[in-house]
Amino acid sequence: MAEPEITVDRSAEENGLGNMVAELLRANIESSAYKKRVFRRMKGSVGLFATDAEVKVTLVFDRGRCVVHDGLREGTGVTVSADSDSIIELSNVRLAGGLPFYFDKAGRAVVGKALRGVIRIRGLLRHPVTLTRLGIVLSVN
């Protein structure tokens, strides 16, 4: 099976959020066989919008490949909008039993921000598997 591939599209070469997320994905899937398996199962697109910096990226997953594009692409299934710090906090949610765990301090902080509207997730109900898998491959814990 081919090694997972994460690339930053030319459009996103100057996008700090896009480069940061690409590096985070690379590091996480290299350090964990489980995260690598989850990454290989991902198909679809996820948008990230850092509202305070007005920076947007779209991650397009295709079973073992991810291309990071600048901006939010049409037809994106899930979009997470939040300030930069909150987007980074998403990677601090630890995994328990192979799934994101929202019952410790880091997890409760993310849930609280989502309930208060600091973190907004469009497509949560239509694409829960995509969002769960994203949480797994972005988690640094």
Side-chain angles (χ1 to χ4, degrees), residues 7-74:
T7 57
V8 176
D9 184 75
R10 288 184 80 143
S11 66
E13 287 177 351
E14 302 296 318
N15 187 312
L17 177 62
N19 285 299
M20 180 192 71
V21 171
E23 285 304 315
L24 181 63
L25 284 171
R26 285 185 193 109
N28 287 348
I29 64 174
E30 283 178 17
S31 68
S32 167
Y34 172 65
K35 290 176 187 179
K36 187 181 286 189
R37 283 192 309 273
V38 170
F39 180 80
R40 285 188 170 130
R41 297 171 75 193
M42 294 181 74
K43 182 148 179 77
S45 59
V46 176
L48 298 175
F49 176 24
T51 55
D52 55 333
E54 289 289 318
V55 177
K56 303 172 187 177
V57 296
T58 301
L59 311 172
V60 180
F61 295 94
D62 189 12
R63 305 207 187 281
R65 293 185 356 205
C66 176
V67 179
V68 180
H69 297 274
D70 187 52
L72 295 179
R73 294 172 64 109
E74 186 120 1

Side-chain angles (χ1 to χ4, degrees), residues 77-79 114 120-132:
V78 175
T79 303
R120 293 179 309 284
I121 304 170
R122 185 185 58 74
L124 170 65
L125 297 178
R126 291 181 52 210
H127 303 281
V129 173
T130 299
L131 197 58
T132 300

Side-chain angles (χ1 to χ4, degrees), residues 65-115:
R65 293 185 356 205
C66 176
V67 179
V68 180
H69 297 274
D70 187 52
L72 295 179
R73 294 172 64 109
E74 186 120 1
T76 300
V78 175
T79 303
V80 178
S81 302
D83 60 87
S84 302
D85 289 341
S86 296
I87 288 176
I88 292 168
E89 281 180 42
L90 295 174
S91 68
N92 292 327
V93 174
R94 74 180 180 89
L95 303 179
L99 296 171
F101 184 73
Y102 296 106
F103 300 101
D104 62 359
K105 184 177 180 180
R108 285 192 309 271
V110 167
V111 170
K113 285 185 173 191
L115 291 173

